[in-house]
Amino acid sequence: MHIGADSIVLSGGYEDDEDYDDLIIYTGHGGLNPLTGKQEADQKMERMNLALAKSKMFCRPVRVIRGYNHKSIYAPKHGYRYDGLFKVDDYWKETGRAGFLVWRYRLIAIVNEILSQDRKTTPTLPFATSTKTKTIITQVVKESQYTQRIKKMYDFTCQICGTRLETPIGPYAESTYIKPVGKPHDGPDREDNILCLCPNHRILFTFGAISISNDFTLLGCTGVLKVQKKHKINIDFLKYHREHYYIGK
Ligand SMILES: [Zn+2]
């Protein structure tokens, strides 16, 4: 079975793309008027958009190719250039510049030295990555003091279903940021932006199957988020999650 997207070509079709070399905020497909090239409808979670989302789910890297007509200082002057493997780190929806829903994907380079050396010696490149050592290979997701504190506060119990997983080496829970940290969301690493969840509910929340209303009623499943009095969840972050991640009815 074919899972995920194999490659994407950056060729200047979408005005919402952002290119930071090792980090690309890539806009999904669809909704363009073929005659004018303008965004005239919402993008749907189907075809290439769905394939890229599955690339995140199944950790399948995608090949990134930049074309000469891609509007970025990192585009080649002529032709097309293979720029290596990227991981689909995250995806969400938002209103694009033209006012319609677009899917956005954060792609992070899985970097190797060979690639940067190739680029150095390629004469058509108008930019220099030469002195930069690329190190964005893996984001080691280390627990912050705040995520640890929230897990302790809830005694490793899921705020949605109340499950507390016992393992021989201690209880296990996962934490999640309500408004994700990192570009372009820039949610804070703070207790008011963190939930303690079981692995199942963490995945459902991350992939937008469930979300939370301002009064903590759950969306996409029944029930209410359990929140301790001293845990002041910022409802602006809940709103952000609903608007960018929740794919509900
Ligand atoms: Zn749970």
Side-chain angles (χ1 to χ4, degrees):
M1 193 170 80
H2 188 79
I3 295 169
D6 286 325
S7 61
I8 59 163
V9 181
L10 298 169
S11 57
Y14 288 84
E15 57 187 355
D16 295 308
D17 287 343
E18 295 168 43
D19 190 350
Y20 307 99
D21 194 10
D22 292 336
L23 166 71
I24 297 166
I25 309 295
Y26 179 71
T27 307
H29 288 222
L32 290 190
N33 180 321
L35 297 177
T36 62
K38 299 256 181 254
Q39 189 84 36
E40 291 185 356
D42 289 345
Q43 294 184 347
K44 297 195 174 85
M45 182 46 77
E46 60 182 19
R47 300 172 192 228
M48 188 61 173
N49 298 345
L50 183 59
L52 280 169
K54 291 204 172 189
S55 292
K56 168 182 158 63
M57 180 174 273
F58 298 107
C59 301
R60 267 182 62 113
V62 293
R63 293 175 178 81
V64 168
I65 295 150
R66 286 184 175 91
Y68 64 94
N69 52 355
H70 169 51
K71 294 177 194 74
S72 160
I73 57 167
Y74 304 110
K77 272 195 176 148
H78 312 284
Y80 291 82
R81 184 188 63 221
Y82 171 58
D83 281 342
L85 292 170
F86 282 63
K87 82 169 197 176
V88 181
D89 181 61
D90 193 15
Y91 68 90
W92 62 94
K93 57 185 170 163
E94 60 185 46
T95 304
R97 283 180 216 174
F100 295 96
L101 184 154
V102 294
W103 287 99
R104 307 265 274 159
Y105 299 84
R106 182 169 56 220
L107 310 174
I108 296 180
I110 302 167
V111 179
N112 55 63
E113 288 298 315
I114 299 158
L115 174 63
S116 30
Q117 281 176 13
D118 276 356
R119 286 168 141 218
K120 243 186 291 182
T121 54
T122 306
T124 55
L125 302 187
F127 59 94
T129 51
S130 51
T131 54
K132 199 162 98 186
T133 312
K134 302 190 164 193
T135 49
I136 313 186
I137 301 171
T138 46
Q139 289 183 310
V140 180
V141 184
K142 222 171 71 182
E143 290 251 273
S144 77
Q145 55 170 312
Y146 303 104
T147 58
Q148 287 177 26
R149 215 178 284 171
I150 290 296
K151 285 185 192 179
K152 273 198 194 126
M153 185 188 287
Y154 288 93
D155 192 26
F156 299 85
T157 303
C158 176
Q159 287 181 255
I160 290 179
C161 68
T163 297
R164 184 175 188 273
L165 289 178
E166 304 281 356
T167 84
I169 57 167
Y172 178 84
E174 296 189 356
S175 60
T176 191
Y177 294 106
I178 303 166
K179 180 182 187 180
V181 295
K183 222 172 174 135
H185 315 290
D186 295 323
D189 178 24
R190 276 192 335 231
E191 291 178 20
D192 65 349
N193 189 32
I194 297 168
L195 299 174
C196 173
L197 300 176
C198 70
N200 286 353
H201 282 120
R202 208 272 300 163
I203 289 290
L204 290 173
F205 187 76
T206 301
F207 284 95
I210 55 178
S211 193
I212 302 160
S213 49
N214 287 355
D215 66 0
F216 302 145
T217 305
L218 297 170
L219 304 168
C221 66
T222 54
V224 178
L225 188 78
K226 297 163 187 70
V227 182
Q228 293 195 4
K229 272 223 172 70
K230 58 186 167 182
H231 187 195
K232 309 282 180 212
I233 291 175
N234 188 321
I235 59 171
D236 289 342
F237 302 152
L238 294 177
K239 182 167 180 272
Y240 192 91
H241 184 270
R242 290 196 302 272
E243 288 179 353
H244 292 82
Y245 290 88
Y246 180 53
I247 310 176
K249 287 100 206 152

